[in-house]
Amino acid sequence: MEQLLRSQEIPAVTGEAEDTFKIPPELLYNRAHPVLYFPIRHHSPACSFHLKKAVRDYRPDLILIEGPENADPLIPVLVNEDTKPPLALYYAYRDKEGLVTEKKGDYKCYYPFLDCSPELTALREAERLGIPARFADLSYGEILIGTVGGKGIRREGEKQTYNDDYLLSRSRYLTLLCEKTGLRDFEELWEKYFEIQGLGESTEDFVRQMLTYCILSRKNTPGEELVEDGCLLRERYMAEQIAKASQDYHRILVVTGGFHSCGLFELLSRQKDGSYAYRGEPVKLHGKVREQQEVYPMAYSMEAADALNGYASGMQSPGFYHQVWKNLQENEGQEEGDPPDRGFSGAYEQTVLHFLAAAGRQARRKEENVSSYDEICAFSMARGLAALRGKQEPGLYELRDSAVSSFIKGERNLSTEGAIRILKELVTGSQVGRLCKDAARPPLLSDFEEQCRGFGVKLHSSLEQEVVLEIFKKEKHLRMSRFLYRTEFLACGFARRKKGADLVNRRDQNRIREIWSYKWSEQVTAALIDASISGGTMEEAARSLLHSRFDESAGCKEAAELLVKGFLMGLYEEQGEMRTHLAEVLAADGDFFSLTQGFSQLLMLLDLQDLYQIRDALDLEQMTDICFQKIIQLLPSMGQVGEERQQECMESLRLLYQAAGKSNAHERRPVLMEALETLLGRGSLNPGVEGTVLGLLYGYEGGYGKQITRAAQGYMQGSGEMLSKSATFLRGLFFTARDFVFASSEFLALIDGLLDRLPGEEFLKLLPELRLAFSYFTPLETDRIAGRAAALHGKKKSDLLTGGAVSPGEYAYGEALDAYAGERMGKGI
């Protein structure tokens, strides 16, 4: 590795005196040490490469690994040959005692493993060589308690992960080092000096350079930050575990993030008998924390492990480094002393060539303008850039730069960078992990996976899939629809209905097919693990959650929505048990809007139960009657609703009219009309509500046309306040009876007169409401209105489509006016 990172060159970067930095000899790589510290960066192929050699060379009696001690029982799952990374340990902690915050919230995080993760390499080598291995760090809950809010594992805005490499990439030392080397960021510096060049170093030299960088990063990190983010607390606990282990084991390999190596060393002292004594303050554990946390293995994805997707301790483009590790494994036969062009040498160059060729092939399939010659040029450029930048081989940065230069023709934009998007997807990777059959998992997760297999749903892909369900023709499709609705209700983020009847919002109710999209992600597994407390199967969990939410529902709308969701999920048996609470909700609810929404949904539910021939255990006829009577009592008072709830009131009135017109409620329509007439008779009505009510009455009985005209004349031919409300009245009227414009020959002339007599300033004030009013018309209806409006002025509809030419003087005036306005706006006047 270049002299820049050697200790004698460090003062040039940090400005420190040469004799202020020395690595303790006991911390360096030496096979004679009873405790050997091996510093790593999580998911680094180079660290895994040298760690694998160190395990075989050092032959420890025990391997201690940075990781939560309560995950030890899961190690056999991680090293099982049927377990395929990427995978993760999922941690959940329920702060029932309020030890983290007074809110007593729920917390979760992930501990990801890729094929190239050094921790997984250590576990696999230990399994292969018969060496005991265990995790030595604090459990997730204890770290949460010992971390200040907004720091460390409790940072907001980032994926919550157990690893803590961010301390290596955010120090003042790093900033100075990047400036000194002329490299763009930490990732490029790391790849050049540790990943690519590090493969050519001996393990002793590689560890020395790792310690040099990590110790200087630590020295340039404020001490209070190490306390606040729980770093020092974790090191104290790990040092205690090392001291305890040294009583029974004489050769211990300690594998931790490089930032911790020096901290652990400073907390231990060698005893005469060869063991180590802990010389820090003992860590006090909290008794009930272990009972309130869970840990499970789970499949993970490359996409989630990408640093570019918010994983602070990840390496960017994990698919690229996975391929590097794969090449290293294939070339593992190299012996020490072989020529440098064998074995590990060439792993990065091979990887760059692999991805350029793969991206080119996929681009040509999608008819992108990339040829084989472009791939050759890109590879040649990558090698040239590596030589120019002082790198032994081209890496990820050279791959990206050469692809942009060779694959994009002309200006880079959305239409020319298709091949670059393909390359980005490839280097990210689309692999999804798989657990062995013996992996511990909640019964709910097992049931979910079993049902997915039964329905032919693909789980081992991070790509979005789509399925079309004919729920009224195929019984299997109906069962699958209910299953997908259950996943949606459990909020696991797995499935989304794209098309089909939306019964909850009462839209497209006549559609007989459903189109769903689904996509697996690690959040799906995490959400199902969280939901496992509600039941052992998808049906049990959905039923339990439905019961608890329904018992907590406090309004007719909320309760009715939950009943509809239960129907969609095929949960009918509990309706009888819900009847009592529904009656209580109806009796207590005095909100007109909630009752109206609930009434519509209860009527729809009654229709659905008839359609599916399901026994009505809710006594919906009686419930809808109670709901309707309460609505009729409240309806006359809705005329004075405020402007802020005007649209909601208009929508509720129309919804009520539509619901009362259904076959199972038609006898209620006359009662509703009588209540609407009573509302009109109250006076001082909100103009939008008045227009809506008149439109509904007109739809029920055409004789209300004269009353509409009289009301419109009062608004549009009035003055002052009445005139200012005319557009709102039209908005309400057109919302429920836009056909009145075509049925009345006088009405359009009335609107035309309004527009003609409005002063310019008043017209501008009314314009937003007028636009909303006419937005209810279809394009064809708007065209008809335009023709009739033209006829009022002795014009034809075709005359509206042409205009006179603009004179040169008018054009010059417009330009001057535009320039004046731009100047005034630029000055903020």
Side-chain angles (χ1 to χ4, degrees), residues 43 84-87 112-117 159 299-311 314-326 355 424-433 461-462 520-522:
H43 316 309
K84 305 298 180 186
L87 52 116
F113 297 90
L114 307 182
D115 256 323
C116 57
S117 297
K159 293 185 179 180
Y300 211 59
S301 69
M302 287 292 198
E303 183 181 9
D306 192 344
L308 297 177
N309 290 332
Y311 173 29
M315 292 182 70
Q316 58 179 315
S317 305
F320 178 86
Y321 294 105
H322 170 77
Q323 184 63 36
V324 170
W325 179 245
K326 185 177 178 181
F355 281 108
K424 181 181 183 300
E425 293 172 0
L426 289 173
V427 298
T428 297
S430 59
Q431 298 97 318
V432 173
S461 172
S462 59
W520 182 92
S521 70
E522 68 286 346

Coordinates of all heavy atoms in Angstrom, one line a residue, residues 43 84-87 112-117 159 299-311 314-326 355 424-433 461-462 520-522:
H43 N -18.6 -6.3 5.3 CA -18.9 -6.6 3.9 C -17.7 -6.3 3.0 O -17.9 -6.2 1.8 CB -20.1 -5.8 3.4 CG -21.3 -5.8 4.4 ND1 -21.7 -7.0 5.0 CD2 -22.0 -4.8 4.9 CE1 -22.7 -6.7 5.8 NE2 -22.9 -5.3 5.8
K84 N -28.4 -19.4 2.1 CA -27.8 -18.7 1.1 C -27.9 -17.1 1.3 O -29.0 -16.6 1.4 CB -28.4 -19.0 -0.3 CG -28.4 -20.5 -0.6 CD -27.0 -21.0 -0.8 CE -27.1 -22.5 -1.1 NZ -25.7 -23.1 -1.1
P85 N -26.8 -16.4 1.5 CA -26.8 -15.0 1.7 C -27.3 -14.3 0.4 O -27.3 -15.0 -0.7 CB -25.4 -14.6 2.0 CG -24.7 -15.9 2.4 CD -25.4 -17.0 1.6
P86 N -27.8 -13.1 0.4 CA -27.8 -12.2 1.6 C -28.8 -12.6 2.6 O -29.9 -13.0 2.3 CB -28.0 -10.8 1.0 CG -28.7 -11.1 -0.3 CD -28.2 -12.4 -0.8
L87 N -28.5 -12.5 3.9 CA -29.4 -12.7 5.0 C -29.1 -11.7 6.1 O -28.2 -10.9 6.0 CB -29.3 -14.2 5.4 CG -27.9 -14.6 5.8 CD1 -27.8 -15.0 7.3 CD2 -27.5 -15.9 5.0
P112 N -27.0 -7.4 8.8 CA -26.9 -8.1 7.5 C -25.6 -8.9 7.3 O -24.6 -8.5 7.8 CB -27.0 -7.0 6.4 CG -27.4 -5.7 7.2 CD -26.9 -6.0 8.6
F113 N -25.7 -9.9 6.5 CA -24.5 -10.7 6.1 C -24.6 -11.0 4.6 O -25.6 -11.5 4.1 CB -24.5 -12.1 6.8 CG -24.4 -12.0 8.3 CD1 -25.5 -11.9 9.1 CD2 -23.1 -12.0 8.9 CE1 -25.4 -11.9 10.5 CE2 -23.0 -12.0 10.3 CZ -24.2 -11.9 11.1
L114 N -23.5 -10.7 3.9 CA -23.3 -11.1 2.5 C -22.3 -12.2 2.5 O -21.6 -12.5 3.5 CB -22.9 -9.9 1.7 CG -23.7 -8.6 1.8 CD1 -23.1 -7.5 0.9 CD2 -25.1 -8.8 1.5
D115 N -22.1 -12.8 1.3 CA -21.1 -13.8 1.1 C -19.7 -13.3 1.5 O -18.9 -14.1 2.0 CB -21.1 -14.3 -0.3 CG -21.8 -15.7 -0.4 OD1 -21.7 -16.5 0.5 OD2 -22.5 -15.9 -1.4
C116 N -19.5 -12.0 1.2 CA -18.2 -11.5 1.4 C -18.0 -10.8 2.8 O -17.0 -10.1 3.0 CB -17.8 -10.5 0.3 SG -19.0 -9.1 0.1
S117 N -19.0 -10.9 3.7 CA -18.9 -10.3 5.0 C -17.9 -11.0 5.9 O -18.0 -12.2 6.1 CB -20.3 -10.3 5.7 OG -21.3 -9.6 5.0
K159 N -31.2 3.6 7.8 CA -31.6 2.3 8.1 C -30.9 1.9 9.4 O -29.7 2.0 9.6 CB -31.2 1.3 7.0 CG -32.0 1.5 5.7 CD -31.7 0.4 4.7 CE -32.5 0.7 3.4 NZ -32.2 -0.4 2.4
A299 N -34.2 -13.8 5.4 CA -33.7 -13.5 4.1 C -33.5 -12.0 3.9 O -34.4 -11.3 4.4 CB -34.5 -14.1 3.0
Y300 N -32.5 -11.6 3.2 CA -32.2 -10.2 3.0 C -32.0 -10.0 1.5 O -32.1 -11.0 0.7 CB -31.0 -9.8 3.8 CG -31.0 -8.4 4.2 CD1 -32.0 -7.9 5.1 CD2 -30.0 -7.5 3.9 CE1 -31.9 -6.5 5.5 CE2 -29.9 -6.2 4.3 CZ -30.9 -5.7 5.1 OH -30.9 -4.4 5.6
S301 N -31.8 -8.8 1.0 CA -31.6 -8.5 -0.4 C -30.3 -7.7 -0.6 O -30.0 -6.9 0.3 CB -32.8 -7.8 -1.0 OG -32.9 -6.5 -0.5
M302 N -29.8 -7.8 -1.8 CA -28.6 -6.9 -2.1 C -29.0 -5.5 -2.1 O -28.3 -4.6 -1.7 CB -28.1 -7.3 -3.5 CG -27.3 -8.6 -3.5 SD -25.8 -8.5 -2.6 CE -24.9 -9.9 -3.2
E303 N -30.2 -5.2 -2.6 CA -30.7 -3.8 -2.7 C -30.7 -3.2 -1.3 O -30.3 -2.0 -1.2 CB -32.1 -3.8 -3.3 CG -32.7 -2.5 -3.5 CD -34.1 -2.5 -4.1 OE1 -34.7 -3.6 -4.2 OE2 -34.6 -1.4 -4.5
A304 N -31.2 -3.9 -0.3 CA -31.3 -3.4 1.0 C -29.9 -3.2 1.6 O -29.7 -2.3 2.5 CB -32.1 -4.3 1.9
A305 N -28.9 -4.0 1.2 CA -27.5 -3.9 1.8 C -26.7 -2.8 1.1 O -25.5 -2.6 1.5 CB -26.9 -5.3 1.6
D306 N -27.2 -2.1 0.1 CA -26.5 -1.1 -0.6 C -26.3 0.2 0.2 O -27.3 0.7 0.6 CB -27.2 -0.8 -2.0 CG -26.3 0.0 -2.9 OD1 -25.3 0.5 -2.5 OD2 -26.6 0.0 -4.1
A307 N -25.1 0.6 0.3 CA -24.9 1.9 1.1 C -25.6 3.1 0.4 O -26.0 4.0 1.0 CB -23.4 2.2 1.1
L308 N -25.8 3.0 -0.9 CA -26.5 4.0 -1.7 C -28.0 4.1 -1.4 O -28.7 5.1 -1.7 CB -26.3 3.9 -3.2 CG -24.8 4.0 -3.6 CD1 -24.8 3.7 -5.1 CD2 -24.2 5.3 -3.3
N309 N -28.5 3.1 -0.7 CA -29.9 3.0 -0.3 C -30.1 3.3 1.1 O -31.2 3.0 1.7 CB -30.5 1.7 -0.7 CG -30.7 1.5 -2.2 OD1 -30.8 2.4 -2.9 ND2 -30.6 0.2 -2.6
G310 N -29.2 3.9 1.8 CA -29.3 4.4 3.1 C -28.7 3.5 4.2 O -28.9 3.8 5.4
Y311 N -28.1 2.4 3.8 CA -27.5 1.5 4.8 C -26.1 2.1 5.1 O -25.1 1.9 4.4 CB -27.4 0.1 4.2 CG -26.6 -0.9 5.1 CD1 -26.5 -0.8 6.5 CD2 -26.0 -2.0 4.5 CE1 -25.8 -1.7 7.2 CE2 -25.3 -2.9 5.2 CZ -25.2 -2.7 6.6 OH -24.5 -3.6 7.4
G314 N -23.0 -0.2 5.0 CA -22.8 -1.0 3.9 C -21.8 -0.5 2.9 O -21.3 0.6 3.1
M315 N -21.4 -1.3 1.9 CA -20.6 -0.9 0.8 C -21.5 -0.6 -0.4 O -22.4 -1.4 -0.6 CB -19.5 -1.9 0.5 CG -18.5 -2.1 1.7 SD -17.2 -3.3 1.3 CE -16.3 -2.4 0.0
Q316 N -21.2 0.4 -1.1 CA -22.0 0.7 -2.2 C -21.9 -0.4 -3.3 O -20.9 -1.1 -3.4 CB -21.7 2.1 -2.8 CG -20.2 2.2 -3.3 CD -19.9 3.5 -3.9 OE1 -20.6 4.0 -4.7 NE2 -18.8 4.1 -3.5
S317 N -23.0 -0.6 -4.1 CA -23.0 -1.6 -5.1 C -22.5 -3.0 -4.7 O -21.5 -3.5 -5.1 CB -22.1 -1.1 -6.3 OG -22.5 0.2 -6.8
P318 N -23.2 -3.6 -3.7 CA -22.8 -4.9 -3.2 C -22.7 -6.0 -4.2 O -21.9 -6.9 -4.0 CB -23.9 -5.2 -2.1 CG -25.1 -4.4 -2.5 CD -24.5 -3.1 -3.1
G319 N -23.5 -5.9 -5.3 CA -23.4 -6.9 -6.3 C -22.0 -6.9 -7.0 O -21.5 -8.0 -7.3
F320 N -21.4 -5.8 -7.1 CA -20.0 -5.7 -7.6 C -19.0 -6.4 -6.7 O -18.2 -7.2 -7.2 CB -19.6 -4.2 -7.8 CG -18.2 -4.0 -8.3 CD1 -18.0 -4.0 -9.7 CD2 -17.2 -3.8 -7.5 CE1 -16.7 -3.8 -10.2 CE2 -15.9 -3.6 -7.9 CZ -15.6 -3.6 -9.3
Y321 N -19.1 -6.1 -5.4 CA -18.1 -6.7 -4.5 C -18.4 -8.2 -4.3 O -17.5 -9.0 -3.9 CB -18.1 -5.9 -3.2 CG -17.5 -4.6 -3.4 CD1 -18.3 -3.4 -3.4 CD2 -16.1 -4.4 -3.7 CE1 -17.8 -2.2 -3.7 CE2 -15.6 -3.1 -3.9 CZ -16.5 -2.0 -3.9 OH -16.0 -0.8 -4.2
H322 N -19.7 -8.6 -4.4 CA -20.0 -10.0 -4.4 C -19.3 -10.8 -5.5 O -18.8 -11.9 -5.3 CB -21.5 -10.2 -4.5 CG -21.9 -11.6 -4.7 ND1 -22.0 -12.6 -3.7 CD2 -22.3 -12.3 -5.8 CE1 -22.4 -13.7 -4.1 NE2 -22.6 -13.6 -5.4
Q323 N -19.3 -10.2 -6.7 CA -18.6 -10.8 -7.8 C -17.1 -10.8 -7.6 O -16.4 -11.8 -8.0 CB -18.9 -10.0 -9.1 CG -18.3 -10.6 -10.4 CD -18.9 -12.0 -10.7 OE1 -20.1 -12.3 -10.4 NE2 -18.1 -12.9 -11.2
V324 N -16.5 -9.8 -7.0 CA -15.1 -9.8 -6.6 C -14.8 -11.0 -5.7 O -13.8 -11.7 -5.9 CB -14.7 -8.5 -6.0 CG1 -13.3 -8.6 -5.4 CG2 -14.8 -7.3 -7.0
W325 N -15.6 -11.1 -4.7 CA -15.4 -12.3 -3.8 C -15.5 -13.6 -4.5 O -14.8 -14.5 -4.2 CB -16.4 -12.1 -2.6 CG -16.3 -13.2 -1.6 CD1 -17.3 -14.2 -1.3 CD2 -15.2 -13.5 -0.7 NE1 -16.8 -15.0 -0.3 CE2 -15.6 -14.6 0.1 CE3 -14.0 -12.9 -0.5 CZ2 -14.8 -15.1 1.1 CZ3 -13.2 -13.4 0.5 CH2 -13.6 -14.5 1.3
K326 N -16.5 -13.7 -5.4 CA -16.7 -14.9 -6.1 C -15.4 -15.2 -6.9 O -14.9 -16.4 -7.0 CB -17.9 -14.8 -7.0 CG -18.2 -16.0 -7.8 CD -19.5 -15.8 -8.6 CE -19.9 -17.0 -9.5 NZ -21.1 -16.8 -10.3
F355 N -19.1 -7.1 -15.7 CA -20.2 -6.2 -15.6 C -20.4 -5.4 -16.9 O -21.5 -5.1 -17.3 CB -20.2 -5.3 -14.4 CG -20.6 -6.0 -13.2 CD1 -19.7 -6.4 -12.2 CD2 -21.9 -6.3 -12.9 CE1 -20.1 -7.0 -11.0 CE2 -22.3 -7.0 -11.8 CZ -21.4 -7.3 -10.8
K424 N -26.2 0.0 -13.3 CA -26.5 0.3 -11.8 C -27.2 -0.9 -11.2 O -26.9 -1.3 -10.0 CB -27.2 1.6 -11.7 CG -27.5 2.0 -10.2 CD -28.3 3.3 -10.1 CE -28.5 3.7 -8.7 NZ -29.2 2.7 -7.9
E425 N -28.2 -1.4 -11.8 CA -29.0 -2.5 -11.3 C -28.1 -3.8 -11.1 O -28.3 -4.5 -10.1 CB -30.2 -2.8 -12.2 CG -31.3 -1.7 -12.2 CD -32.3 -2.0 -13.3 OE1 -32.2 -3.0 -14.0 OE2 -33.2 -1.1 -13.4
L426 N -27.3 -4.0 -12.1 CA -26.4 -5.2 -12.0 C -25.4 -5.1 -10.9 O -25.2 -6.1 -10.2 CB -25.7 -5.3 -13.4 CG -26.5 -5.8 -14.6 CD1 -25.7 -5.7 -15.9 CD2 -27.1 -7.2 -14.4
V427 N -24.8 -3.9 -10.7 CA -23.8 -3.8 -9.7 C -24.4 -3.8 -8.3 O -23.7 -4.0 -7.3 CB -22.8 -2.6 -9.9 CG1 -22.0 -2.8 -11.2 CG2 -23.6 -1.3 -9.9
T428 N -25.7 -3.4 -8.2 CA -26.4 -3.4 -7.0 C -26.7 -4.9 -6.6 O -26.5 -5.3 -5.5 CB -27.7 -2.6 -7.0 OG1 -27.4 -1.2 -7.2 CG2 -28.5 -2.8 -5.7
G429 N -27.1 -5.6 -7.6 CA -27.4 -7.0 -7.4 C -28.9 -7.3 -7.1 O -29.5 -6.4 -6.4
S430 N -29.5 -8.3 -7.6 CA -30.9 -8.6 -7.3 C -31.1 -9.9 -6.5 O -32.2 -10.4 -6.3 CB -31.6 -8.8 -8.7 OG -31.0 -9.9 -9.4
Q431 N -30.0 -10.4 -6.0 CA -30.1 -11.7 -5.2 C -30.9 -11.5 -3.9 O -30.8 -10.4 -3.3 CB -28.7 -12.2 -4.8 CG -27.8 -12.6 -6.0 CD -26.8 -11.5 -6.4 OE1 -27.2 -10.3 -6.4 NE2 -25.6 -11.8 -6.7
V432 N -31.6 -12.5 -3.6 CA -32.4 -12.5 -2.4 C -32.0 -13.8 -1.6 O -31.9 -14.9 -2.2 CB -33.9 -12.5 -2.6 CG1 -34.7 -12.7 -1.3 CG2 -34.3 -11.2 -3.2
G433 N -31.7 -13.7 -0.3 CA -31.2 -14.8 0.4 C -32.3 -15.9 0.7 O -33.5 -15.7 0.4
S461 N -37.1 -13.2 -5.3 CA -36.7 -12.1 -6.2 C -37.2 -10.8 -5.7 O -38.2 -10.7 -5.0 CB -37.5 -12.4 -7.6 OG -37.2 -11.3 -8.4
S462 N -36.3 -9.8 -5.9 CA -36.7 -8.4 -5.4 C -37.3 -7.6 -6.5 O -37.5 -6.4 -6.4 CB -35.4 -7.7 -5.0 OG -34.5 -7.6 -6.0
W520 N -41.3 -8.9 -2.9 CA -40.7 -9.2 -1.6 C -39.6 -8.2 -1.3 O -38.9 -7.7 -2.1 CB -40.1 -10.7 -1.7 CG -39.5 -11.1 -0.3 CD1 -40.1 -11.7 0.7 CD2 -38.2 -10.8 0.2 NE1 -39.3 -11.9 1.7 CE2 -38.1 -11.3 1.5 CE3 -37.1 -10.1 -0.4 CZ2 -37.0 -11.2 2.2 CZ3 -35.9 -10.0 0.4 CH2 -35.9 -10.6 1.7
S521 N -39.4 -8.0 0.0 CA -38.3 -7.2 0.5 C -38.1 -7.6 2.0 O -39.0 -8.3 2.6 CB -38.6 -5.7 0.5 OG -39.6 -5.3 1.4
E522 N -37.0 -7.2 2.5 CA -36.7 -7.6 3.9 C -37.7 -7.0 4.9 O -38.0 -7.5 5.9 CB -35.3 -7.2 4.3 CG -35.0 -5.7 4.4 CD -34.9 -5.1 3.1 OE1 -34.8 -5.8 2.0 OE2 -35.0 -3.8 3.0

